[in-house]
Amino acid sequence: MAWLRAMRSLPLSNIKITGEFWSVRQDRLVAVTLPHIYDQLAQTPRLDNFRRAAGTEEGPHAGLPFDDSDIYKWLEACAYGLTIRNNPRLSARTDEVIALIENAQMADGYLNTFFQLKHPTMRWKNLNMLHEMYCAGHLFEAAAAWKECMNDERLLEVAVKLAQHISSVFGPNKRRGYCGHEEIEIGLIRLSEVTGDPQYRKFAKWQVEERGKKPSPFEAELQDPEIQALSPWGGTLLRSDEEYNGEYAQDHAPIREHTQIVGHAVRAMYLYTAATELADGEDDAKLETAIETIWGNLTQRRMYITGGIGPSARNEGFTADFDLPNLSAYAETCASCGLILWGHRLLQLSGTSDYADLMERALYNGAISGISLSGDTFFYDNPLESRGGHARKPWFTCACCPPNIARVIGNLGQYVAGISESTFYVHIPCGMEADVDIAGQRVRVIVESNYPWSGKCEIRVESSTPALMSIAVRIPEWSDEMESDLPDAENEADYKDGYAIFRKTWTSEDRLTIDLGLSAKWIEADPRVLDNVGRVALECGPLIYAAESVDNKFPPQLFTADLETEFEFSPVAALDGSFAITVDGWKVPASKSGALYGEADTSAPQPSRLTLIPYATWANRGPSHIQVWLRRP
Amino acid sequence: MAWLRAMRSLPLSNIKITGEFWSVRQDRLVAVTLPHIYDQLAQTPRLDNFRRAAGTEEGPHAGLPFDDSDIYKWLEACAYGLTIRNNPRLSARTDEVIALIENAQMADGYLNTFFQLKHPTMRWKNLNMLHEMYCAGHLFEAAAAWKECMNDERLLEVAVKLAQHISSVFGPNKRRGYCGHEEIEIGLIRLSEVTGDPQYRKFAKWQVEERGKKPSPFEAELQDPEIQALSPWGGTLLRSDEEYNGEYAQDHAPIREHTQIVGHAVRAMYLYTAATELADGEDDAKLETAIETIWGNLTQRRMYITGGIGPSARNEGFTADFDLPNLSAYAETCASCGLILWGHRLLQLSGTSDYADLMERALYNGAISGISLSGDTFFYDNPLESRGGHARKPWFTCACCPPNIARVIGNLGQYVAGISESTFYVHIPCGMEADVDIAGQRVRVIVESNYPWSGKCEIRVESSTPALMSIAVRIPEWSDEMESDLPDAENEADYKDGYAIFRKTWTSEDRLTIDLGLSAKWIEADPRVLDNVGRVALECGPLIYAAESVDNKFPPQLFTADLETEFEFSPVAALDGSFAITVDGWKVPASKSGALYGEADTSAPQPSRLTLIPYATWANRGPSHIQVWLRRP
């Protein structure tokens, strides 16, 4: 079945997240995180690079070649943040930064402070590692967000000039080239969405199609010492034994020949997000099959239970099927953000809940673990086991993750619900209020819930006159028994593509109640994940749990879980009222007197209990030992 | 109690290893390994560097800066090999190589082909990473071996000239300096042993004492870009956040202030081997205490059960107490060889069996796992778990391990027994015949055994007239019940320092029989080794066992051991008759249809059996999954 968009997201200004889990996080995003990131951009000195490029300040470029992108991502997140919350001071900051960007752009449209200040003659020469188009792509996304959310075209003007410049250099019948780090493809598609001009989308499609054809344009770059000297990393990950091997940048084969998820995880997510979007309405069976195959490989063989992806620090990416070590898991915050982006595009095209399941998994676990509850410190990597010492940091030299998780939290309204002509889709039943034009009239859909702490929610529709429409509620993969009640419904609920669909002429008196049957359960991994053999993880609804030593008097590594345990729930004030779960089991003593190695003690193990907290909230009370996968008897 | 040498090794020509376990390995050492290493030295082109330095061949230096040391270590191993076996062809090779070395030495005594050919003006400038003195140290050890074993002074002449040259540059009232990679200290001590001239030992002592005092001579080197540019690695491991941190090279503090084993493992072993030797007869309580403390930290907190040491590939060395990951264990072959050297020195000074226990553990497990049974492929790192793909290789760019394990196997006669004035010590009761001058007469001590496949051995003394002497047999740490029988003994055996001592006037009719009570048993680790919590290893006598997938129809990671199992022994022809042990337990299915993550299956586990082989013999039948630490119920 060919992909044809099944639904769209709502304009962000039309949807308000009301459930406490997310509204607290969105409050902090705007009050703490976005101002904090601004301070870092100002201090590091990312903003100074723009002043220097504009000539309003003296000085060289400082920092990494792609630091500009952090500013663009922050601006994108601010467009979302300022749509959902007021913050005049933050708003003034964005005006200042947008003006810096306007001033720094060159007359020909070029904009990249690293090359402008440091290597003005080397533009567009090192595409493999210097992220020149990647930065442009993030500018395009920011520009689209400012146009869509704020109806502000200042950045869009800059973006269009830059996009015109890039397509004057690259394209069919011009130079062949694409970026080592995908992102511009998403940005170009967004430019077409907000300008209505299809040329940018066509340019993105050309780049996606050219990628992986032989010879790669990167091969010549890698052989030029002057070009390679520009990059602090060389291009070593694009080589294997001195032979070109493009897997790191998904440049190993044309996209329709890809069968596995390989290389740098964030790059891969951005490529396939764009490719999925480009498949919409194209009836391109080969492309759809390739994308579904890669998604299947990712989610059935190469994804942590947290929705973390990319186990290896070496390539910030993928290794082999079922290779999912816990202690050394890289699972970059940005990669889980990327999984959300890709899953969301697949969900919108296919209308199938499976994609929402994975989007939700990453969102509630591996992505938001990347930010502290206080909103001002961040994880770059998100391991599933720690033996202490892994703490969130205020900033990074390579600071991609902080603004990335910020834009995901800010833009949450686009992920939790969708609309088609006559259906309102509830992907994630967190509390929300959505104003939608549906079936010819404006209605407000209200979802009340305490999700994910409860699986119960109530949905109603406010409209001036009764409205004939469908409300489709996702049946999560983790739900064993979903119950629903809609008094006076004309028909039974329909079940399609993983959604329960309630169609009727809604009045303000109708109350749809849903109970997803949320309960704690022990999960095991496919035994080919050798790291998890003999182990279980605790899942409760969309949340994966982790045991942290701060709640227990011993490292959780010493504990064996009793699978017959009762689950005892208790809110933890220091974790914003997140529910902890305490389970029964056994533990070995924390230490023994005597030798490092000695004859095995076969006496009965000591009964014990273990308290677990949602994985995403670990290390909010100081660095701690944690473990997701507990030993089972 | 101040250290004063309790015993010495026997001259290698006076001891013959007769037990099959080792004699087969020594056969292959001389027939296969040493010729194979020669071929590699000739091809790589390490020998060409000497021809080029001598001017008999044109060409630049090729290879790593310290490749000369591989040749010296091979020559040292050849001295041992040609003492214990005849091989005229190998002998001719050594003549050829010794002549190359003689020809390459400069008139002033200097000898290092990397500097002679590539950086003649940069001698002795980059001590921190270029191993100039390290290479000299290996030459000194080779020279000592050729003098001692072969009564051949050709290398010794070269060595003495080089040692004189080095001590004309460095020393008290001259330039302060020592090598980033310890080794020359051992070599200098050996030079004094074979020449009778104490100056070399004094020079070694000065180097050991200077090391770690502030400022380090390496600090200035690290700040000089021209010096650092000589090294392909920089000196980054000697810095931490741009501050000097000498731990990598044990240069963080003067030796008497060391409390933990830190840094690069091989470097550490060589330093403390030399320091131990230098403490002999010095009555230096502070130094002895420091050495014992470091040894305790190493063997009680930072050593794998295999005698592998140095868990981390990053620094080829040590990390933190109880940090002993199995899958990523570095445990370099050379480091276990170094542990044998150090343990052997401590044993000789203290006369205490504890040191022999650890020497034996490394010898039978983590060291000889470094060489294939065929003798021509090698492991550099020796992990305790593998998921396939870890195979021994014929050679390495950095080829320290092959000649190092070769010299340990060749020199085995020095490790298994010792003599004091009136006592013959059997440290390891492998079969042997030793000719010793003891209590004023020459006797032959014969130990017959099938060790380590049996814990029984018979010891007798052949002498022309009855000889009053003691035979001291080590009671291994792993032995729960040692039994002995010596008919017509005048006295009960004495027990001291972990040895059972049988003193009598021996005639050729006396038969001392020993039964060490060798049996298989399950071992557990201190629970602070979090990687091994809930796991057991199988030990049988000195051997640690590993389960390899080639013997089982599934990866051993799927297995849980039944600690109540019977042990079934069976010889494996393809492993030189090594005994495999089969145990009972349970396994999870190798794969399940369905999701990557799903609700935990609580049905009863499936009974199964698992065959284990001696750890050192793994990957001799192709790469395989292995595991040392098995899950326990």
Side-chain angles (χ1 to χ4, degrees):
Chain A
M1 192 182 62
W3 285 338
L4 188 63
R5 185 174 298 279
M7 69 190 74
R8 296 196 169 274
S9 290
L10 280 69
L12 198 58
S13 52
N14 288 7
I15 181 163
K16 183 176 167 189
I17 306 289
T18 56
E20 193 186 349
F21 184 92
W22 286 114
S23 66
V24 166
R25 283 170 170 81
Q26 291 196 324
D27 287 345
R28 288 195 196 124
L29 173 76
V30 182
V32 178
T33 309
L34 294 172
H36 167 85
I37 295 176
Y38 172 85
D39 291 342
Q40 298 294 328
L41 297 174
Q43 288 161 20
T44 49
R46 284 164 170 81
L47 294 180
D48 286 340
N49 287 332
F50 279 84
R51 293 188 186 99
R52 292 167 191 174
T56 58
E57 179 184 299
E58 287 291 306
H61 183 275
L64 294 176
F66 48 78
D67 278 356
D68 292 359
S69 64
D70 300 329
I71 294 169
Y72 302 142
K73 280 154 79 182
W74 172 77
L75 277 173
E76 183 189 344
C78 286
Y80 307 141
L82 293 171
T83 301
I84 59 175
R85 297 289 188 282
N86 276 322
N87 186 329
R89 191 177 153 86
L90 179 64
S91 182
R93 298 293 200 201
T94 60
D95 288 339
E96 173 207 345
V97 174
I98 290 170
L100 289 181
I101 293 169
E102 291 175 315
N103 289 338
Q105 187 168 36
M106 296 179 75
D108 64 355
Y110 187 84
L111 179 58
N112 184 297
T113 67
F114 174 76
F115 283 94
Q116 287 171 258
L117 290 165
K118 202 161 179 175
H119 298 291
T121 64
M122 297 298 280
R123 284 186 190 181
W124 311 123
K125 290 199 171 164
N126 185 326
L127 301 183
N128 73 88
M129 283 302 284
L130 288 181
H131 300 43
E132 222 166 346
M133 293 193 208
Y134 165 90
C135 289
H138 275 304
L139 171 64
F140 301 166
E141 283 210 88
W146 276 82
K147 167 69 179 158
E148 254 180 16
C149 298
M150 316 289 283
N151 199 26
D152 182 323
E153 299 197 353
R154 287 174 294 170
L155 277 180
L156 189 59
E157 277 183 37
V158 178
V160 163
K161 269 171 73 182
L162 177 56
Q164 297 289 2
H165 170 80
I166 297 174
S167 46
S168 76
V169 177
F170 298 95
N173 305 320
K174 293 173 213 159
R175 189 176 145 198
R176 187 170 161 245
Y178 41 87
C179 193
H181 195 317
E182 300 92 327
E183 160 60 25
I184 191 171
E185 301 84 353
I186 295 175
L188 287 165
I189 293 167
R190 292 283 289 140
L191 275 194
S192 279
E193 286 174 2
V194 296
T195 61
D197 182 342
Q199 66 162 305
Y200 308 110
R201 185 183 171 102
K202 271 187 204 155
F203 187 38
K205 188 169 172 62
W206 174 78
Q207 290 203 339
V208 169
E209 297 289 347
E210 288 302 310
R211 190 174 211 92
K213 289 185 188 166
K214 302 279 177 253
S216 166
F218 303 151
E219 290 186 64
E221 295 180 11
L222 290 168
Q223 282 157 20
D224 184 327
E226 192 194 5
I227 288 176
Q228 284 315 105
L230 299 178
S231 155
W233 314 275
T236 48
L237 284 161
L238 287 162
R239 290 200 187 93
S240 153
D241 291 333
E242 298 304 307
E243 284 293 300
Y244 181 74
N245 174 340
E247 288 199 349
Y248 178 60
Q250 297 75 45
D251 190 40
H252 51 297
I255 190 164
R256 286 175 193 73
E257 296 167 24
H258 294 192
T259 55
Q260 293 188 314
I261 192 88
V262 299
H264 186 276
V266 181
R267 289 168 201 239
M269 291 305 103
Y270 290 178
L271 171 64
Y272 298 121
T273 296
T276 300
E277 193 71 42
L278 291 168
D280 180 20
E282 294 284 333
D283 199 15
D284 185 338
K286 270 197 172 170
L287 181 57
E288 289 176 27
T289 301
I291 290 173
E292 281 172 344
T293 301
I294 301 159
W295 175 266
N297 179 250
L298 170 64
T299 58
Q300 287 305 311
R301 293 178 174 233
R302 299 190 176 197
M303 181 189 73
Y304 288 100
I305 194 171
T306 55
I309 56 174
S312 169
R314 192 190 69 86
N315 63 346
E316 300 192 311
F318 298 101
T319 55
D321 286 351
F322 305 110
D323 177 35
L324 295 164
N326 295 305
L327 186 64
S328 63
Y330 197 67
E332 186 182 335
T333 301
C334 282
S336 286
C337 292
L339 178 60
I340 292 167
L341 298 185
W342 186 18
H344 183 230
R345 296 308 199 284
L346 285 165
L347 169 64
Q348 289 185 303
L349 293 202
S350 70
T352 305
S353 73
D354 304 0
Y355 300 110
D357 287 332
L358 279 301
M359 181 180 80
E360 180 181 66
R361 183 186 289 268
L363 188 58
Y364 278 89
N365 301 286
I368 56 162
S369 66
I371 184 167
S372 62
L373 292 173
S374 59
D376 56 357
T377 58
F378 308 90
F379 277 146
Y380 198 106
D381 51 321
N382 295 272
L384 281 74
E385 181 184 356
S386 168
R387 298 179 186 171
H390 198 71
R392 292 185 187 82
K393 294 185 180 146
W395 197 244
F396 305 96
T397 305
C398 170
C400 49
C401 296
N404 223 351
I405 185 62
R407 63 187 189 135
V408 166
I409 293 174
N411 201 23
L412 192 72
Q414 300 233 315
Y415 304 129
V416 297
I419 40 170
S420 67
E421 204 167 317
S422 66
T423 304
F424 182 84
Y425 289 87
V426 178
H427 304 316
I428 297 178
C430 63
M432 68 184 87
E433 295 178 13
D435 294 322
V436 294
D437 295 312
I438 204 159
Q441 78 178 106
R442 168 147 293 205
V443 302
R444 171 167 289 187
V445 181
I446 297 172
V447 180
E448 284 186 355
S449 87
N450 192 24
Y451 195 80
W453 311 122
S454 159
K456 294 179 183 163
C457 63
E458 185 184 279
I459 302 177
R460 62 182 198 273
V461 174
E462 288 182 356
S463 67
S464 47
T465 59
L468 176 63
M469 62 179 284
S470 298
I471 293 184
V473 180
R474 172 176 145 258
I475 307 162
E477 180 215 357
W478 49 259
S479 170
D480 295 326
E481 41 175 4
M482 173 175 171
E483 290 180 2
S484 62
D485 185 45
L486 179 58
D488 309 320
E490 293 97 2
N491 301 298
E492 293 279 300
D494 240 15
Y495 295 91
K496 182 162 180 286
D497 294 337
Y499 285 80
I501 303 169
F502 304 90
R503 182 163 186 83
K504 69 170 297 190
T505 302
W506 295 78
T507 70
S508 297
E509 279 68 49
D510 288 321
R511 295 286 181 278
L512 167 60
T513 60
I514 302 281
D515 186 344
L516 298 173
L518 184 148
S519 65
K521 50 180 142 173
W522 294 113
I523 302 295
E524 65 184 13
D526 185 302
R528 287 172 290 184
V529 183
L530 292 180
D531 283 283
N532 296 343
V533 172
R535 296 184 178 274
V536 287
L538 183 62
E539 176 185 275
C540 186
L543 298 175
I544 302 303
Y545 274 70
E548 191 171 28
S549 51
V550 70
D551 294 303
N552 301 287
K553 297 285 170 278
F554 53 86
Q557 287 85 351
L558 301 181
F559 188 81
T560 300
D562 178 356
L563 302 197
E564 308 299 319
T565 185
E566 300 279 304
F567 298 105
E568 186 186 315
F569 293 78
S570 54
V572 181
L575 299 177
D576 277 346
S578 297
F579 274 81
I581 303 178
T582 300
V583 301
D584 296 326
W586 306 270
K587 73 180 275 283
V588 299
S591 77
K592 291 187 178 179
S593 60
L596 181 55
Y597 303 109
E599 199 150 356
D601 178 2
T602 53
S603 58
Q606 182 186 325
S608 181
R609 307 195 82 203
L610 188 77
T611 294
L612 299 96
I613 55 162
Y615 169 76
T617 66
W618 78 278
N620 271 290
R621 294 164 294 170
S624 194
H625 282 51
I626 64 144
Q627 193 161 45
V628 169
W629 289 98
L630 307 177
R631 266 176 302 115
R632 58 175 288 179
Chain B
M1 191 182 64
W3 285 338
L4 189 63
R5 185 174 297 280
M7 68 188 75
R8 295 195 171 274
S9 290
L10 281 68
L12 198 58
S13 52
N14 288 8
I15 182 163
K16 182 176 168 190
I17 307 290
T18 55
E20 193 186 351
F21 183 93
W22 285 113
S23 67
V24 165
R25 283 171 170 80
Q26 290 195 326
D27 287 345
R28 288 196 196 125
L29 173 76
V30 182
V32 177
T33 309
L34 294 172
H36 167 85
I37 295 176
Y38 172 84
D39 291 341
Q40 297 294 330
L41 297 174
Q43 287 161 22
T44 47
R46 283 163 171 80
L47 295 180
D48 286 339
N49 287 331
F50 279 84
R51 292 188 186 99
R52 292 167 191 175
T56 58
E57 179 183 299
E58 287 291 308
H61 183 276
L64 294 175
F66 48 77
D67 278 355
D68 291 0
S69 64
D70 299 330
I71 294 169
Y72 303 143
K73 280 154 78 181
W74 171 78
L75 277 172
E76 182 188 345
C78 286
Y80 307 142
L82 294 171
T83 302
I84 59 175
R85 297 290 189 280
N86 278 322
N87 186 330
R89 191 176 152 87
L90 179 65
S91 183
R93 297 296 198 198
T94 61
D95 288 339
E96 174 207 345
V97 174
I98 290 170
L100 288 180
I101 294 168
E102 291 175 315
N103 289 338
Q105 187 167 39
M106 297 180 74
D108 64 356
Y110 186 84
L111 179 58
N112 184 298
T113 67
F114 173 77
F115 284 94
Q116 287 171 257
L117 290 165
K118 202 160 179 175
H119 298 291
T121 65
M122 298 298 282
R123 284 187 191 180
W124 311 122
K125 291 201 173 164
N126 185 327
L127 300 182
N128 73 87
M129 282 303 284
L130 288 181
H131 300 45
E132 222 167 345
M133 294 194 206
Y134 165 91
C135 288
H138 276 303
L139 171 65
F140 301 166
E141 283 210 87
W146 276 82
K147 168 67 179 158
E148 252 180 19
C149 298
M150 315 291 283
N151 199 26
D152 181 323
E153 300 197 355
R154 286 175 295 172
L155 277 180
L156 189 58
E157 277 183 38
V158 177
V160 163
K161 268 172 73 182
L162 176 56
Q164 297 290 2
H165 170 78
I166 296 174
S167 45
S168 77
V169 177
F170 298 95
N173 305 319
K174 293 174 212 158
R175 188 176 145 197
R176 187 170 161 245
Y178 41 88
C179 193
H181 195 317
E182 300 92 326
E183 160 60 25
I184 190 172
E185 302 83 354
I186 296 176
L188 288 164
I189 294 166
R190 292 283 289 141
L191 275 193
S192 278
E193 285 174 3
V194 297
T195 61
D197 182 342
Q199 66 161 305
Y200 308 111
R201 185 183 172 101
K202 272 187 203 155
F203 188 37
K205 188 170 173 59
W206 175 78
Q207 289 203 338
V208 169
E209 297 289 347
E210 288 302 311
R211 191 175 210 90
K213 289 185 188 166
K214 302 280 177 252
S216 166
F218 303 151
E219 291 185 64
E221 295 181 10
L222 290 169
Q223 281 155 21
D224 184 327
E226 191 194 5
I227 288 176
Q228 283 315 105
L230 299 178
S231 154
W233 313 276
T236 48
L237 284 161
L238 287 162
R239 290 199 187 95
S240 151
D241 291 333
E242 298 305 306
E243 285 293 298
Y244 181 73
N245 175 340
E247 288 199 349
Y248 178 62
Q250 297 75 46
D251 191 40
H252 52 297
I255 190 165
R256 287 175 192 73
E257 297 166 24
H258 294 192
T259 56
Q260 292 187 313
I261 192 87
V262 299
H264 185 276
V266 181
R267 290 168 199 238
M269 292 305 102
Y270 291 177
L271 171 64
Y272 298 121
T273 296
T276 300
E277 193 73 41
L278 291 168
D280 180 22
E282 294 285 333
D283 199 13
D284 186 339
K286 271 197 170 166
L287 180 58
E288 291 177 25
T289 302
I291 290 173
E292 281 172 344
T293 303
I294 301 159
W295 175 267
N297 180 250
L298 170 64
T299 58
Q300 286 305 312
R301 294 178 172 233
R302 299 191 176 197
M303 182 189 73
Y304 288 100
I305 194 171
T306 55
I309 56 173
S312 170
R314 192 191 69 88
N315 63 345
E316 301 194 309
F318 298 102
T319 55
D321 286 352
F322 306 110
D323 178 36
L324 295 164
N326 295 305
L327 185 64
S328 63
Y330 198 68
E332 185 183 336
T333 301
C334 283
S336 285
C337 292
L339 178 61
I340 293 166
L341 299 184
W342 187 17
H344 184 229
R345 297 308 199 285
L346 284 165
L347 168 65
Q348 290 185 303
L349 293 203
S350 69
T352 305
S353 73
D354 303 358
Y355 300 110
D357 287 331
L358 278 302
M359 181 180 80
E360 179 180 68
R361 184 185 288 269
L363 188 58
Y364 278 88
N365 302 285
I368 56 162
S369 65
I371 185 168
S372 62
L373 292 173
S374 59
D376 56 358
T377 58
F378 309 90
F379 277 147
Y380 198 106
D381 51 321
N382 296 271
L384 281 76
E385 181 184 355
S386 169
R387 298 179 185 171
H390 198 71
R392 291 186 188 82
K393 295 185 179 146
W395 196 244
F396 307 95
T397 305
C398 170
C400 48
C401 296
N404 223 351
I405 185 64
R407 64 188 188 133
V408 166
I409 294 174
N411 201 23
L412 191 72
Q414 300 233 314
Y415 303 130
V416 298
I419 41 170
S420 67
E421 206 168 318
S422 65
T423 304
F424 183 83
Y425 288 87
V426 179
H427 303 316
I428 298 178
C430 63
M432 67 184 89
E433 295 177 13
D435 294 324
V436 293
D437 295 313
I438 204 159
Q441 78 177 107
R442 166 143 297 206
V443 302
R444 171 167 289 188
V445 182
I446 296 172
V447 180
E448 284 186 353
S449 87
N450 192 24
Y451 195 79
W453 311 121
S454 160
K456 293 179 183 162
C457 63
E458 186 185 277
I459 303 176
R460 62 183 201 272
V461 174
E462 287 181 357
S463 68
S464 46
T465 59
L468 175 64
M469 62 179 284
S470 299
I471 293 185
V473 180
R474 170 175 146 260
I475 308 162
E477 180 215 357
W478 50 258
S479 169
D480 295 326
E481 40 174 5
M482 173 174 170
E483 290 178 4
S484 62
D485 184 47
L486 179 58
D488 309 320
E490 294 97 1
N491 301 298
E492 292 279 300
D494 241 12
Y495 294 92
K496 184 164 177 287
D497 295 338
Y499 285 80
I501 304 169
F502 304 90
R503 182 163 186 85
K504 69 169 298 188
T505 303
W506 296 78
T507 70
S508 296
E509 278 69 49
D510 288 320
R511 295 287 182 278
L512 168 60
T513 60
I514 302 281
D515 185 344
L516 297 174
L518 184 146
S519 65
K521 51 180 141 173
W522 294 113
I523 302 295
E524 65 184 14
D526 185 302
R528 286 173 290 185
V529 182
L530 292 179
D531 283 284
N532 296 343
V533 172
R535 296 183 177 274
V536 286
L538 183 62
E539 177 186 274
C540 186
L543 298 175
I544 303 302
Y545 274 69
E548 193 172 25
S549 51
V550 70
D551 294 304
N552 301 286
K553 297 285 169 277
F554 52 88
Q557 286 86 350
L558 301 181
F559 188 81
T560 300
D562 178 356
L563 303 195
E564 309 298 320
T565 186
E566 301 280 303
F567 297 105
E568 186 186 315
F569 292 78
S570 55
V572 182
L575 299 177
D576 276 347
S578 297
F579 274 81
I581 303 178
T582 300
V583 300
D584 296 325
W586 307 270
K587 72 178 276 282
V588 299
S591 77
K592 290 189 177 177
S593 61
L596 181 55
Y597 303 109
E599 200 151 354
D601 178 2
T602 54
S603 58
Q606 182 186 327
S608 180
R609 306 195 83 203
L610 188 77
T611 295
L612 299 96
I613 55 163
Y615 170 76
T617 66
W618 78 278
N620 272 289
R621 294 164 292 170
S624 195
H625 282 51
I626 64 144
Q627 193 161 47
V628 169
W629 289 98
L630 306 177
R631 266 176 302 117
R632 58 174 288 180

